[in-house]
Amino acid sequence: MALESQPDLEVVGEAGDGAQAVAMTRALRPDVVLMDVRMPVLDGIEATRHITSAGLPARVLVLTTFNLDEYVYTALRAGASGFLLKNVPPADLFTAIRAVAAGDAVVAPSVTRRLLDAFAHHLPTGSPRPDPLTPREREVLVELARGHSNVEIARRLGVGPGTVKTHVARILAKLHLRDRVHVVIHAYESGLIRPGDG
């Protein structure tokens, strides 16, 4: 009811379990899927993984009870574009859905950083992936992972905000990442950032 009160938001379907959510996403092709973590048949994490790995255009927002719920990191690894608390005020929910629909992540970089610091022990250890980035793009990636905005990165690196925006777009394209949240995850997994790095 709250979502349908917004003229620019339309609820196209509701699923009772994770498997149904995946099937409905395939059939209805929504812009955003608001996914609960705990659902019957197929949990929200696996449903998210199915949706994002199938190359569907829908972006997934995962609902969680606690700010640092153990499921949140797993959800981000599964391809979610961020997470919301279940008690999020309606206005914030509307803003988050619009942001994700526009291609942004709803998890602020600083919150993502704390999240990854808390769950860094879940990060895999293995051979690093080949790095296609230029030295400057790698610098920008590290600054993103430290939780800095484009304006802050521009100031720290002595370039214009437009240049930083271009670098961010190239990083996303080269690394096949969806948004800034996944840039941070990549930085941790590749060893460019460790918990506590400033």
Side-chain angles (χ1 to χ4, degrees), residues 3-194:
L3 292 176
E4 289 175 343
S5 72
Q6 301 299 295
D8 61 329
L9 299 180
E10 179 185 1
V11 178
V12 296
E14 292 182 56
D17 61 62
Q20 188 180 26
V22 174
M24 291 180 74
T25 301
R26 288 180 188 276
L28 299 173
R29 315 289 281 191
D31 297 314
V32 178
V33 174
L34 200 54
M35 182 77 72
D36 199 346
V37 169
R38 295 183 178 95
M39 290 189 296
V41 183
L42 188 68
D43 68 51
I45 305 300
E46 282 306 309
T48 297
R49 188 172 286 116
H50 283 299
I51 290 168
T52 59
S53 65
L56 297 171
R59 300 171 66 81
V60 181
L61 281 180
V62 173
L63 290 167
T64 184
T65 306
F66 303 106
N67 196 9
L68 292 180
D69 191 321
E70 67 184 70
Y71 296 108
V72 174
Y73 176 72
T74 311
L76 294 175
R77 288 287 316 279
S81 293
F83 69 95
L84 294 173
L85 299 179
K86 288 186 179 180
N87 62 355
V88 63
D92 292 345
L93 174 62
F94 305 150
T95 299
I97 291 171
R98 291 181 183 111
V100 167
D104 293 329
V106 298
V107 185
S110 58
V111 174
T112 304
R113 172 84 187 281
R114 290 197 306 271
L115 171 71
L116 291 175
D117 280 348
F119 291 103
H121 62 279
H122 290 292
L123 293 171
T125 56
S127 302
R129 290 176 269 183
D131 186 359
L133 303 180
T134 66
R136 177 57 94 180
E137 289 165 351
R138 202 171 306 111
E139 283 181 295
V140 171
L141 184 147
V142 168
E143 294 297 327
L144 281 173
R146 288 176 174 159
H148 298 125
S149 68
N150 286 2
V151 172
E152 291 169 328
I153 295 169
R155 188 169 54 246
R156 291 169 69 93
L157 298 183
V159 298
T163 301
V164 173
K165 188 174 181 181
T166 300
H167 284 312
V168 171
R170 288 181 182 156
I171 290 166
L172 292 172
K174 286 184 177 182
L175 298 178
H176 308 290
L177 301 172
R178 291 176 69 102
D179 50 43
R180 295 169 78 103
V181 171
H182 295 100
V183 168
V184 178
I185 291 172
H186 172 85
Y188 273 76
E189 290 184 334
S190 61
L192 290 170
I193 286 286
R194 292 290 177 204

